[in-house]
Amino acid sequence: MTTVDMRRAAPPLPGTARRSPAGPLLAVLWAGAAAVFALWWSDTASVVGAAGWLTGAGRLSGLLCGYACAVLVGLMARVPLLENRVGSDRVSRWHAMAGRYTVCLLVAHVALILAGYAAQDRASLWHETVTVVLDYPDMLKATAGTVILFAVGITSARAARRRVRHEFWYYVHLLTYAAVFLSFFHQVSLGDQFNGEPVATAAWYALYLGVAALVIWFRVLAPVRLNRRHRLRVDSVQQEAPGVFSVVVRGRDLDRLGARPGQFFRWRFLASGMAWTSTPYSLSAPPRPDLLRITVKALGDHSAAVSLLRPGTRVWVEGPYGALTAERATGHRSLLIAAGVGITPLRALFETLPGEVTLLYRARSAADLALGGELEAIARWRGARVLYALNGPRGERPHITAESLHSNIPDLPGHDVYICGPHAFAQDVYQALRAAGLPDRRIHHESFEL
């Protein structure tokens, strides 16, 4: 099997750390929610009696739910500003939070509006529900959308996700688009805030059409354009450690992708049994004009099948994504801390980060040190250090503490620290770094749990 040397001749020049736009973007999103509340307030002259309070609260929760649906879909659009500047893992957490808000607001809207209508008509809740669903305009579509959103919410709950296959969760999750589409029409046909209010109606349409345009461009048209241009195919597959394999992918003009060390793509291998699954894998070497490389650990059906890929297999990618790059650095000294297959993005950064770099690699044993030979070669080439934290002869785990970090890196507070590994490991290391005196702005982390 052919081995391809993915190393570059020299690290790039230092970049300038850019401030994350996360704060301003969150401010804009909350300002939008405030504008929705103001729309309801300006159109609600008075609230009288229990029926009025229930109906008013139901309309407000419905408006906020409609706004949250637009935000939810916008966060799924894989907009480069979000994915590469804010960070894919952070956007994923925003999306999960927006999903919880959306489902809670949806429950409140359905319960309050039906209770308010029932009190107003002096009818039973069941009779009012049947009347609203069957007789009100666009309510059959809205009901279907509501059922779909509840299904998405249930399968996205942490307890449910542990019990269902990723592929099943992914395809159910995609139904969010259908749910939002089906629910949109009753908002403008039944919403009192839009009846006879052309400015409010136009703004609502602009919100939804703008989000739809983002999804169509960044999730459909841009990937088609990328893959038609670069024509990616598997070049070779090589075992790096037990259950760990590197896949080298060859393509045309890959430097035009703009990929940077530390980033990842979403990979779809057009092989039997793999074509319907898109999985995020980080680049495990700096990208070259004709080659990309990922290193994958067999943790599930899809990742295990990666080792069986044959040269020439077509590859469909989306990206690049992620903000765990040299642009986060605030100085010229860096500490990279990896665990397990978390070494993959940090191996690329280890080669290319400017200045003084130290790598700390946590693994169960020496046999589990994926890419270990490359790390040692890079360390010699650039005069860097590689430290290992391996289990003891009886399986005892070494603890990465503030004291152990200080003993190995005496000037630790002056470093930028990049962490990549399982969530629990990253949390423990983060706490140790904070206890060691590192400011939060110097600790850079991207979670595997996207």
Side-chain angles (χ1 to χ4, degrees):
M1 186 173 293
T2 303
T3 301
V4 181
D5 185 359
M6 297 293 295
R7 288 182 298 168
R8 286 180 171 176
L13 294 174
T16 302
R18 291 193 293 176
R19 187 176 180 86
S20 169
L25 284 170
L26 283 176
V28 169
L29 294 179
W30 284 111
V36 170
F37 180 85
L39 174 64
W40 172 84
W41 181 270
S42 65
D43 194 67
T44 304
S46 61
V47 180
V48 179
W53 280 105
L54 288 169
T55 303
R59 287 172 177 160
L60 175 59
S61 58
L63 282 170
L64 290 171
C65 181
Y67 173 72
C69 282
V71 171
L72 191 69
V73 174
L75 292 174
M76 293 172 67
R78 297 179 186 164
V79 179
L81 174 66
L82 296 175
E83 299 287 337
N84 299 337
R85 294 288 306 283
V86 175
S88 297
D89 62 334
R90 196 171 188 180
V91 173
S92 179
R93 291 194 294 272
W94 288 2
H95 174 72
M97 183 180 297
R100 289 190 288 270
Y101 285 153
T102 301
V103 172
C104 290
L105 287 166
L106 180 61
V107 171
H109 171 61
V110 171
L112 290 168
I113 206 75
L114 290 176
Y117 285 176
Q120 180 178 300
D121 296 341
R122 297 184 179 180
S124 69
L125 192 60
W126 172 252
H127 178 271
E128 196 66 36
T129 300
V130 173
T131 300
V132 168
V133 171
L134 297 181
D135 296 342
Y136 281 43
D138 298 311
M139 275 307 303
L140 281 174
K141 289 183 287 188
T143 301
T146 299
V147 171
I148 293 172
L149 277 178
F150 280 139
V152 172
I154 291 170
T155 56
S156 296
R158 185 168 297 179
R161 283 201 63 181
R162 294 194 189 104
R163 291 172 171 79
V164 300
R165 291 169 60 88
H166 173 77
E167 292 80 7
F168 176 80
W169 169 85
Y170 175 76
Y171 288 114
V172 170
H173 213 65
L174 286 180
L175 292 175
T176 302
Y177 296 123
V180 172
F181 175 78
L182 290 169
S183 302
F184 173 77
F185 298 100
H186 92 288
Q187 299 174 38
V188 291
S189 62
L190 295 176
D192 284 356
Q193 285 69 29
F194 303 115
N195 292 329
E197 297 289 344
V199 174
T201 303
W204 208 248
Y205 269 100
L207 172 65
Y208 272 77
L209 289 174
V211 168
L214 291 177
V215 171
I216 292 170
W217 178 255
F218 290 112
R219 295 208 63 167
V220 180
L221 299 180
V224 169
R225 179 170 173 261
L226 181 155
N227 286 279
R228 283 177 60 87
R229 171 188 290 174
H230 299 293
R231 307 285 182 176
L232 296 162
R233 291 183 181 272
V234 172
D235 184 80
S236 63
V237 179
Q238 178 177 342
Q239 186 169 8
E240 303 287 358
V244 179
F245 294 83
S246 284
V247 181
V248 176
V249 174
R250 187 176 295 275
R252 304 185 307 192
D253 302 322
L254 299 184
D255 50 333
R256 296 176 65 184
L257 285 170
R260 291 165 289 166
Q263 291 189 304
F264 69 93
F265 288 81
R266 295 180 183 270
W267 302 82
R268 190 187 304 273
F269 298 101
L270 305 186
S272 177
M274 302 180 72
W276 293 101
T277 303
S278 174
T279 307
Y281 296 126
S282 297
L283 297 176
S284 62
R288 284 180 20 180
D290 58 339
L291 296 175
L292 301 175
R293 190 185 74 176
I294 57 174
T295 301
V296 180
K297 185 172 184 178
L299 298 173
D301 293 344
H302 186 274
S303 54
V306 166
S307 65
L308 304 177
L309 289 170
R310 295 289 178 261
T313 301
R314 292 181 60 191
V315 183
W316 183 275
V317 300
E318 297 176 46
Y321 302 126
L324 195 71
T325 65
E327 290 186 345
R328 283 193 174 185
T330 61
H332 291 270
R333 287 178 293 175
S334 301
L335 170 63
L336 314 180
I337 305 179
V341 78
I343 190 61
T344 54
L346 298 193
R347 180 260 179 252
L349 284 172
F350 187 50
E351 181 177 335
T352 57
L353 271 174
E356 178 186 323
V357 183
T358 302
L359 172 66
L360 173 58
Y361 190 179
R362 167 79 180 93
R364 286 193 298 267
S365 67
D368 294 308
L369 293 172
L371 308 173
E374 293 183 14
L375 297 173
E376 293 289 348
I378 293 168
R380 291 192 298 271
W381 164 61
R382 65 174 300 169
R385 287 199 300 161
V386 182
L387 308 174
Y388 299 104
L390 306 178
N391 289 1
R394 298 181 179 178
E396 57 271 23
R397 297 167 59 90
H399 295 290
I400 299 176
T401 64
E403 292 74 20
S404 66
L405 289 170
H406 267 303
S407 65
N408 285 285
I409 304 99
D411 54 349
L412 177 63
H415 284 66
D416 282 286
V417 181
Y418 292 78
I419 311 169
C420 195
H423 182 71
F425 167 83
Q427 285 293 105
D428 290 344
V429 171
Y430 175 83
Q431 296 298 332
L433 291 167
R434 295 292 285 145
L438 245 78
D440 191 68
R441 63 185 177 85
R442 286 183 175 269
I443 303 175
H444 317 299
H445 169 240
E446 200 152 59
S447 173
F448 277 175
E449 299 181 353
L450 296 177

